[in-house]
Amino acid sequence: MTTIRQLIQASPTKASELFAVLADTSNNAVKTRERILGDLKSELELLAQLEEEHLFPVLRKHRETKDLVTAALSDNKLTRKLLDELEQTPKGSEEFGPKVAELRKVFQQSVRDERKELLPAVLKALSDEEAQAIVEKIEEGKAEVEEAKRAEAEQRRAEQRQEREQAERLLAEQEEAADRERKTREAARKTAEQVARTAEVAAESTRQVAQSAAETVQRVATAPLSTGSLFFDAMFGMWGVPSGRSMARSGNSPSSRNQLSTQEEEVIPLAEETLIVGKHTVNSGTTTVRRYVVEAPAEQQVTLYDEKVVVERRRPVTDEATGETLTELTVEMVETSEVPLVAKGVRVREEVVVRRERTQRVETVRDTIRRDEVEISNASERSGNRRAALTHSRK
């Protein structure tokens, strides 16, 4: 169990260590000085607050320790003043080191006064129960502060973890969008290549058909006749067409014409257009979310205490002289006033999440496509009918 002696002697240990670390920093270690100074301020404020809330009110009730409370309050006031000046001093300036040394000197003197004057008076004036009650209250206060610090640190870690997860999620969404765009471009490229290949095949088929037609016309023009009359050769089918050859007939288009084939086999390609639908991503709008800072007045009430020195004259209880008389005597009593200390903390009020939601829709693409068809007719029957009609007319 901690005693009042151990408490008073051990309380400044952490602050002394922070003073030593801060004094060893250089002018270039600005961030380190800011961090250590923040920890030092929290520690000094905690020590002064716990003494003023739990120790000093009890000491004011005893005559032996009443005057020591005034001196301790004066030391705390001076410490706060020097600490505020140190916070306002640039951390990389030459003035920072001397101000740290001055504050450290005041703090060490205050610690020495507490150990040499305050502690013996406390042990003499307070009972064991009162001293132990003060120790328990101060330790409870320290535990509450440590718990609040742990909760704040945990909250900061949770916020940092949430920001990190949000950044990772946003990065993943950006990578996914880039991958979708890359796939869309690849699909569009493949579609364009397929359309180009289809056009090349159609052009090649058209060229082959035109070449075959030209060769057929050339063969018909140079083929020998069996009679001297082109009319009778056409009527009786007396062209020199070998057996197994066929007559090719084109469609009913304006540019179609009959072609006589002299090949053993003719290949007529029947082409068909296919509808190839691709897709690509276009910008359909931009949503901008801008965070900006506004200022609003805020107020909060705080209870402050002022200590004034009251001088009054009264009639003595007895006429008998006690103590030193007829000598010069000077008594000084310090007046104290509490002033508000304002600090600002930051907490997350709410979160604005910006994300993209993907929805799916189906659109029907309509167009016309062309294809080749074939019409087959037998010319032998028509030729036979024409021969029979000619024979009948001669008779």
Side-chain angles (χ1 to χ4, degrees), residues 235-255:
M235 292 295 296
F236 292 105
M238 297 177 66
W239 270 324
V241 180
S243 61
R245 307 289 176 90
S246 60
M247 267 298 204
R249 181 185 179 185
S250 63
N252 296 324
S253 62
S255 62

Side-chain angles (χ1 to χ4, degrees), residues 6-9 26 56 72-73 87 92 106-107 117 120 122 134 153 172 186 201 216 222 226 272 305 334 370 381:
Q6 294 173 346
L7 181 66
I8 294 178
Q9 290 179 349
S26 63
F56 293 167
L73 288 173
E87 276 192 315
V106 172
F107 173 75
E117 299 178 4
V122 168
I134 293 174
E186 183 67 20
V201 171
T216 302
T222 58
S226 58
E272 180 181 10
Y305 295 94
V334 179
R370 299 177 301 171
E381 181 179 355

Side-chain angles (χ1 to χ4, degrees), residues 63 66 310-319 322:
R63 183 181 303 175
K66 186 176 181 180
V310 179
V311 180
E312 61 180 4
R313 294 186 177 186
R314 67 182 182 183
R315 183 179 296 278
V317 179
T318 176
D319 295 339
T322 58

Side-chain angles (χ1 to χ4, degrees), residues 163-180:
E163 292 177 357
R164 185 168 58 254
E165 292 176 354
Q166 184 176 359
E168 292 176 353
R169 184 168 59 253
L170 180 61
L171 180 60
E173 291 177 356
Q174 293 177 352
E175 291 178 353
E176 182 181 357
D179 185 63
R180 288 198 304 268

Side-chain angles (χ1 to χ4, degrees), residues 117-136:
E117 299 178 4
L118 183 64
L119 179 58
V122 168
L123 295 176
K124 182 178 179 181
L126 301 184
S127 62
D128 294 340
E129 291 77 8
E130 288 178 325
Q132 192 59 38
I134 293 174
V135 171
E136 291 178 357

Side-chain angles (χ1 to χ4, degrees), residues 108-284:
Q108 290 174 346
Q109 182 62 41
S110 176
V111 171
R112 285 193 295 268
D113 292 342
E114 287 185 354
R115 291 177 179 177
K116 292 181 179 181
E117 299 178 4
L118 183 64
L119 179 58
V122 168
L123 295 176
K124 182 178 179 181
L126 301 184
S127 62
D128 294 340
E129 291 77 8
E130 288 178 325
Q132 192 59 38
I134 293 174
V135 171
E136 291 178 357
K137 290 181 180 179
I138 291 179
E139 288 185 344
E140 288 178 0
K142 288 183 178 180
E144 291 177 358
V145 172
E146 292 297 330
E147 181 64 26
K149 289 182 179 179
R150 284 194 296 269
E152 184 179 358
E154 182 64 28
Q155 182 179 1
R156 286 198 301 267
R157 286 194 295 269
E159 292 174 355
Q160 292 174 357
R161 182 170 58 253
Q162 187 175 5
E163 292 177 357
R164 185 168 58 254
E165 292 176 354
Q166 184 176 359
E168 292 176 353
R169 184 168 59 253
L170 180 61
L171 180 60
E173 291 177 356
Q174 293 177 352
E175 291 178 353
E176 182 181 357
D179 185 63
R180 288 198 304 268
E181 185 177 357
R182 184 169 56 254
K183 291 181 179 179
T184 301
R185 289 197 300 265
E186 183 67 20
R189 185 184 63 80
K190 291 182 178 179
T191 301
E193 292 178 354
Q194 187 174 0
V195 170
R197 287 196 298 269
T198 303
E200 291 176 358
V201 171
E204 181 65 20
S205 299
T206 303
R207 186 186 64 79
Q208 291 178 358
V209 169
Q211 182 179 1
S212 177
E215 293 175 353
T216 302
V217 171
Q218 183 67 22
R219 287 194 299 269
V220 171
T222 58
L225 298 176
S226 58
T227 65
S229 174
L230 181 62
F231 174 76
F232 288 106
D233 288 338
M235 292 295 296
F236 292 105
M238 297 177 66
W239 270 324
V241 180
S243 61
R245 307 289 176 90
S246 60
M247 267 298 204
R249 181 185 179 185
S250 63
N252 296 324
S253 62
S255 62
S256 65
R257 60 184 182 273
N258 295 334
Q259 298 177 359
L260 180 62
S261 175
T262 59
Q263 302 293 327
E264 291 293 336
E265 179 179 311
E266 290 287 346
V267 178
I268 302 175
L270 302 180
E272 180 181 10
E273 292 181 337
T274 59
L275 191 62
I276 302 172
V277 180
K279 59 181 181 179
H280 71 282
T281 303
V282 297
N283 189 355
S284 59

Side-chain angles (χ1 to χ4, degrees), residues 21-22 25-40 89-93 96:
V21 176
L22 185 60
T25 57
S26 63
N27 294 336
N28 296 327
V30 176
K31 295 295 183 181
T32 304
R33 284 182 171 180
E34 291 178 352
R35 177 178 55 81
I36 298 175
L37 181 59
D39 296 340
L40 179 61
T89 304
K91 307 305 181 292
S93 64
F96 187 82

